[in-house]
Amino acid sequence: MIAADPAALGIRTDGDRSGLARRMTLVLVAAVLAVSLLSLGAGASGVSLVDTLSALARGEALSPSDSLVLFQIRLPRLVTGLLVGAALAVSGAVMQGLFRNPLADPGLVGVSAGAGLGAITAIVLGGALPPALAAAAGVNLVPLAAFFGGLAATLVLHAIASRRGRTSVATMLLGGIALAALTGAASGLLIYLADDSQLRTLTFWSMGSLAGASWPQLIAAGPLMMAALIAAPFLARGLNGLALGEAAAFHMGMPVERTKRVAVLTVAASVGAAVAISGGIGFIGLVVPHLLRLATGPDHRRLLPNAALLGAVLLVLADLVSRTIVAPSELPIGIITAIAGGPVFIAILLRQRGVMDL
Amino acid sequence: MTLTVRDLSVRLGRRDVLTGIDLTAREGEVTAIIGPNGSGKTTLMRAITGELPSTGGLALNGRDIRSMPAPLMATMRAVLAQSTPLSFPFTVAEVVRLGAEAGGATNAAAIIERSLARVDLAGYGGRLFQQLSGGEQQRVHLARVLAQAGSAVGPDGPRWLLLDEPVSSLDIGHQLMVMRLARAFAAEGGGVVAVLHDLNLTAAHADRVLLLQDGRVTAQGTPAEVLTPARLTVVYGCNLQVHPLPPRGMIVLAREEAEA
Ligand SMILES: Nc1ncnc2c1ncn2[C@@H]1O[C@H](COP(=O)(O)OP(=O)(O)OP(=O)(O)O)[C@@H](O)[C@H]1O
Ligand SMILES: [Mg+2]
């Protein structure tokens, strides 16, 4: 990836960007708090956060309806938004580090499609499971199925695109397109088989929205979604080494195989759970790491946590726009992330045109 | 202490790329591996680093390389590969830092600065790696390798530099600079194994030479023993003359025969 002039990017003459990245972390933490408050205070019901907080401060009890809106609707939705955004952004960054390519977004290369197929399979065919198994899986069935779908897609993609430790971008993107087409066909077949009530669930799910966010859903999908976030600190060093290729990473003592395995598993878990809970929300995993690499450099030790924060901020903002711009109705959030993310994707392609043969 | 290779063989796909290689590289010495394209030099280096599966004996400072954990090995030897791809816009300092941290450096900033100065790239830390010239990029990787090695002797004995064509895209001044760095590292008690194509550099700077041809050792010994005109002419398939160059070394010249 070609970047602009170092001085224009604010790089110190000694090339150390860790201070820059730490300041970015502080800004992003503040931004997370700010959008969280904004998001809690906005909504169709007109419950005002300022009023609520001042009432609480005066020691008054909340009215039952206000309390319901805040704690059962807006709060789970906010937490879901934060988690989905963080999971998608970190997954994107991890995947790009693994494939050594800034275009490896789970949404672009078929991982989300694989997770989607898993989710659709669970919704349509879940009833056919042995009752004992279905009961054991419970509300986790859809997230788990999405995880396995995403995992299968990631493994297939890695097998297609990587040879002798090198990943071909062209093969990766084309393989991703083929994967997405195949899983799309399978999903279409399942939708064709679905009955009316399943269709309603499917439509709701595929719109890409946080509108269905609830505590039970969060409890089911949240832990899976956090997989990549929890793994990130352990992956960062290995991913830094992988930027110099597998051989150099091994020469520098990095745990190459473990990094690859953990990266694939946790990305599949996080993307799978995020897709299961929010449908297809694209471009967060592509745009967030790209912006951060430009601003503070590609060192994964700082890129991954900052990506989690920025992903959370952007997704909560997108959700805020999606439910206020045409209030009282809602725009699917995927539309908003696509409108914002598409141009950035094209910008990356244009910058890379000279360097990479696709 | 030595780097010892005993009856080493490597099979890649269906090809026996290396057969029955014996090599003993000693601390305090620069050992050169030479041979035509495709003779197996890189493969031998990759086997020595532990990167490729191989059969036969392979020991570093008396310890079996194959049973050594990668992080420990990273503190005993540093490797410059024939080519190293870099994805993502790292600064020069960030690339060298990767090496410094792999070697267990505690004061990375100082080591980065010193390593860059040693490869004549002082002040380049803030440049983006991908915006450097080919030779500058090669020297950044060399600085990374030097930063990983740190001092020539560590707690586990002498440290080793394994360099695959370290001067392939350098100008003559920087080629000499790199060879002097290698000599200095050996003089301080470390060991150096380097793949070289330039027979004159080999003659002037190597203590021992291993000549490979078709995956086998053709000759091994001091430069004077290995670099004989008759042998070189056969191995490289062209007419080569060797002239002594007092007080030490020799010069190898290619002589074009007038076609009869
Ligand atoms: N993965 C592989 N599978 C099969 N054959 C291989 C593989 N890698 C290398 N070879 C073959 O092994 C032989 C030795 O290759 P190697 O890279 O060791 O040569 P080299 O001496 O380093 O050459 P050069 O001077 O061009 O760098 C070559 O004939 C090459 O084609
Ligand atoms: Mg080679």
Side-chain angles (χ1 to χ4, degrees), chain B residues 41-43 82 164-165 195 197:
Chain B
K41 305 179 296 298
T42 296
T43 307
Q82 186 165 1
D164 193 349
E165 300 200 25
V195 172
H197 272 305

Side-chain angles (χ1 to χ4, degrees), chain A:
Chain A
M1 187 160 61
I2 288 292
D5 184 49
L9 294 173
I11 300 178
R12 295 191 337 190
T13 51
D14 70 357
D16 186 348
R17 285 183 279 191
S18 54
L20 211 58
R22 269 191 291 272
R23 259 170 286 147
M24 176 67 82
T25 308
L26 291 181
V27 171
L28 287 175
V29 168
V32 166
L33 293 176
V35 296
S36 297
L37 289 177
L38 216 64
S39 165
L40 282 179
S45 75
V47 177
S48 147
L49 189 68
V50 181
D51 292 353
T52 323
L53 285 179
S54 58
L56 280 175
R58 286 194 304 271
E60 294 167 16
L62 286 182
S63 77
S65 69
D66 283 7
S67 150
L68 182 77
V69 166
L70 268 184
F71 294 110
Q72 297 303 323
I73 297 178
R74 288 191 194 163
L75 194 59
R77 182 163 184 158
L78 167 66
V79 177
T80 305
L82 290 171
L83 267 183
V84 167
L88 289 178
V90 168
S91 298
V94 168
M95 211 161 164
Q96 287 143 29
L98 183 70
F99 280 94
R100 274 162 262 152
N101 191 282
L103 294 178
D105 173 63
L108 279 176
V109 294
V111 175
S112 303
L117 177 59
I120 293 173
T121 310
I123 292 170
V124 177
L125 302 180
L129 279 180
L133 201 62
V139 280
N140 293 308
L141 182 63
V142 174
L144 275 179
F147 161 65
F148 284 113
L151 179 64
T154 316
L155 292 177
V156 169
L157 189 70
H158 204 275
I160 292 176
S162 292
R163 219 167 143 245
R164 284 205 230 115
R166 311 227 162 199
T167 307
S168 151
V169 193
T171 323
M172 178 189 71
L173 290 178
L174 295 175
I177 291 171
L179 258 183
L182 278 174
T183 48
S187 300
L189 200 63
L190 284 169
I191 290 169
Y192 178 77
L193 294 174
D195 64 30
D196 277 355
S197 101
Q198 289 167 342
L199 268 184
R200 253 196 309 282
T201 318
L202 277 175
T203 318
F204 196 67
W205 171 82
S206 68
M207 283 208 305
S209 159
L210 301 180
S214 66
W215 289 119
Q217 195 194 41
L218 243 188
I219 289 165
L224 267 184
M225 231 176 344
M226 295 214 290
L229 303 181
I230 293 167
F234 305 100
L235 289 172
R237 233 177 63 87
L239 291 177
N240 280 345
L242 278 181
L244 292 171
E246 284 187 23
F250 169 73
H251 296 153
M252 294 189 293
M254 317 277 185
V256 175
E257 289 308 316
R258 196 180 66 205
T259 301
K260 289 196 316 197
R261 254 197 320 272
V262 173
V264 166
L265 282 173
T266 54
V267 163
S270 284
V271 172
V275 166
I277 205 172
S278 67
I281 298 180
F283 291 106
I284 292 277
L286 181 85
V287 170
V288 167
H290 180 69
L291 291 178
L292 286 173
R293 271 189 223 105
L294 274 181
T296 58
D299 184 337
H300 289 88
R301 282 172 303 188
R302 293 178 247 286
L303 176 65
L304 296 181
N306 283 350
L309 293 168
L310 184 57
V313 168
L314 288 187
L315 198 76
V316 170
L317 272 182
D319 182 49
L320 197 61
V321 172
S322 86
R323 62 201 170 91
T324 48
I325 196 167
V326 289
S329 128
E330 281 196 18
L331 214 57
I333 190 171
I335 295 182
I336 294 163
T337 58
I339 288 174
V344 179
F345 177 65
I346 291 171
I348 304 177
L349 278 181
L350 291 181
R351 294 170 78 104
Q352 297 223 321
R353 226 169 11 182
V355 233
M356 242 163 36
D357 68 301
L358 272 179

Side-chain angles (χ1 to χ4, degrees), chain A residues 1 3-4 6 11-17 96-97 100-102 166 240 243-244 247-248 250-253 293 298 301, chain B residues 49-51 70-71 74 77 79 84-91 93-94 97-98 101-102 125-126 128 130-131 141 144 148:
Chain A
M1 187 160 61
I11 300 178
R12 295 191 337 190
T13 51
D14 70 357
D16 186 348
R17 285 183 279 191
Q96 287 143 29
R100 274 162 262 152
N101 191 282
R166 311 227 162 199
N240 280 345
L244 292 171
F250 169 73
H251 296 153
M252 294 189 293
R293 271 189 223 105
R301 282 172 303 188
Chain B
T49 64
E51 185 191 329
R77 57 105 179 93
V79 185
T84 309
L86 177 72
S87 27
F88 305 123
F90 283 93
T91 62
E94 286 164 346
R97 177 179 288 270
L98 288 174
E101 286 168 354
L128 288 170
Q130 283 148 337
Q131 294 179 355
H141 281 310
R144 168 176 63 79
Q148 182 182 337

Side-chain angles (χ1 to χ4, degrees), chain B residues 98-177:
Chain B
L98 288 174
E101 286 168 354
T106 44
N107 52 341
I111 291 185
I112 293 167
E113 208 182 309
R114 184 147 35 91
S115 305
L116 283 174
R118 291 178 76 188
V119 299
D120 193 24
L121 287 176
Y124 277 63
R127 299 274 299 272
L128 288 170
F129 178 88
Q130 283 148 337
Q131 294 179 355
L132 299 184
S133 78
E136 288 168 343
Q137 292 187 347
Q138 192 171 18
R139 273 145 60 205
V140 172
H141 281 310
L142 188 64
R144 168 176 63 79
V145 169
L146 292 174
Q148 182 182 337
S151 58
V153 181
D156 302 296
R159 293 210 173 96
W160 296 83
L161 292 181
L162 307 179
L163 312 172
D164 193 349
E165 300 200 25
V167 300
S168 54
S169 45
L170 302 188
D171 63 72
I172 191 162
H174 287 114
Q175 291 187 3
L176 284 174
M177 178 203 75

